[in-house]
Amino acid sequence: MTRGIGWFDAFREVAPEWAVVILGLVTQLGDVWFLGVLVGTSYWLETDNRDRIAAVFGVLLAGLSLITALKHVFALPRPERTLVAAEALPEAVHPLYEATATATGYGFPSGHALLTTIVYLSLAEYGSVGTRRNRYIGAAGIVTVVCFSRVGLGVHYLVDVVAGVGIGLVFLLLVWRLLDRYPARRGTLGFGLAVALAAVAFVTTDAASDAVLLVGASVGAFAGWQFAALAREVDAGRGPIRGSRALTARAAAVAAGIVSLVALSGYYWPVSSLAGSGVLGLVVAAFVTLPVLYRSERGSGI
C-alpha cells in the first residue's frame, strides 16, 4: 500500500535545484546531533531550571527509543525518489548533499517529525527562555518547517511526518501528565522512562546496534541524574546516606548503573556494540553529573 499522496511530484516540478541545499540545512534542526546539542546545552546553562530540562533530556532519550522500536515494528521503506539527483548539483556541494539531504533505514513514522515534536514542545513547556506563548509559537514553526523539509527532500511521504507528529503529541500528553503529577521527581521520571523504552526497543529490534547504544545512554543518564540528586541532597545537609532510605536508594541506583556500564565496556571491549554502549553510558553519566557537582560544595566529596 502506497503512502504517497502526490504532493511531492508537484513540488519537484517547481522547486529549483538549490532548494535541496536549503531543505537539507533546515532538516538539521530535527537531526539527533542538533537536538542533543540543544538539550545538552540547555541542561548545562539553565542552572535554575535544571530539573525541568533534565526531564526534557529524558524525554529525548525516550523518544529516540520509541522511534527506533516503531520503525522496526512497521518496517516500511522510504520513498524511492529524490528532489534533485546528485549529478545535477555542483561537485563542491556533493558532501553537503550527502550529509544533509539523504537518509537510510525505515521510513515510517518519521523520526524527525516525532523527535522535533517531542523536544521543541517540551522545551516550550518546561524551558525558561522568553514567554511561554512565544516558545510555543517558535516550537510549532520549527516542527512545521522540519516536516516540510523531510517531505520536500523526498526521504519521507507526507503520511510519515503526519504520523510522526501525531504519535509525538500523544506521547507528550501522557508523559507530561506523569511529570506534572510528580514535579519534584521530573528528572528521575524522565530518565526512568528513557530506560524503560530503551529496554522495549532492545527487545523489539532484536538487539539492533542503535537500540543497544540507547540502553547504555539511558542507563548512564539515569545513574548520572541519581548521583547529581544525591550530591545536591548531601549538600543540603540531608545526610548521612546510610541514615536515609531515599538517599540509600539513590546510591544503590548509581552503583548498579555505573557497575553495569563498566562491566559492559570492560568485558566486551573492543569488539561489540555492547562495549560501545557501556562507554557511551559512562560518558552520558558524567555529562549529566558534572554541572551539578560543579555547583555543589560538599556533594563532590561523595
Side-chain angles (χ1 to χ4, degrees):
M1 181 179 67
T2 180
R3 300 170 343 255
I5 299 180
W7 180 88
F8 177 76
D9 292 331
F11 177 70
R12 184 167 55 180
E13 290 294 328
V14 299
E17 292 179 352
W18 52 263
V20 72
V21 177
I22 303 300
L23 293 176
L25 293 175
V26 169
T27 205
Q28 299 304 298
L29 295 173
D31 267 17
V32 173
W33 74 266
F34 185 85
L35 296 176
V37 170
L38 176 63
V39 174
T41 302
S42 299
Y43 177 80
W44 272 62
L45 296 182
E46 293 203 34
T47 56
D48 296 330
N49 194 34
R50 185 167 286 134
D51 288 62
R52 287 171 168 250
I53 302 302
V56 179
F57 199 159
V59 168
L60 168 59
L61 290 172
L64 284 168
S65 293
L66 176 62
I67 193 62
T68 299
L70 289 174
K71 282 182 178 289
H72 279 78
V73 167
F74 289 104
L76 294 175
R78 294 183 183 273
E80 295 181 358
R81 62 191 188 185
T82 56
L83 180 61
V84 176
E87 296 76 15
L89 298 170
E91 189 172 349
V93 301
H94 283 187
L96 178 63
Y97 173 81
E98 293 293 333
T100 63
T102 60
T104 58
Y106 297 128
F108 181 89
S110 166
H112 279 67
L114 188 148
L115 290 175
T116 52
T117 299
I118 287 175
V119 171
Y120 288 107
L121 290 183
S122 291
L123 287 174
E125 179 69 16
Y126 295 121
S128 60
V129 177
T131 65
R132 188 169 183 267
R133 178 176 180 272
N134 288 340
R135 290 197 301 269
Y136 266 100
I137 292 174
I142 292 174
V143 171
T144 300
V145 297
V146 169
C147 288
F148 176 82
S149 72
R150 302 307 286 170
V151 180
L153 289 169
V155 295
H156 280 295
Y157 294 110
L158 182 60
V159 172
D160 299 345
V161 297
V162 172
V165 172
I167 294 170
L169 290 174
V170 172
F171 176 78
L172 284 182
L173 290 176
L174 295 175
V175 172
W176 287 355
R177 193 170 185 176
L178 176 65
L179 296 178
D180 293 340
R181 186 174 181 179
Y182 304 99
R185 302 176 183 176
R186 285 193 180 107
T188 296
L189 290 172
F191 290 127
L193 178 63
V195 173
L197 285 179
V200 171
F202 182 87
V203 173
T204 303
T205 64
D206 292 327
S209 58
D210 288 348
V212 172
L213 292 175
L214 283 169
V215 169
S218 299
V219 170
F222 182 81
W225 180 251
Q226 296 311 305
F227 187 57
L230 187 65
R232 290 194 305 185
E233 291 181 3
V234 170
D235 194 44
R238 297 175 186 169
I241 295 175
R242 61 181 178 274
S244 167
R245 287 186 178 181
L247 296 184
T248 301
R250 288 193 187 278
V254 173
I258 298 302
V259 168
S260 63
L261 293 172
V262 170
L264 278 177
S265 58
Y267 183 78
Y268 289 99
W269 184 264
V271 296
S272 172
S273 60
L274 289 172
S277 178
V279 172
L280 177 61
L282 292 172
V283 171
V284 173
F287 182 87
V288 171
T289 304
L290 287 176
V292 179
L293 292 184
Y294 178 77
R295 294 175 59 85
S296 174
E297 296 178 2
R298 289 185 294 170
S300 58
I302 292 179

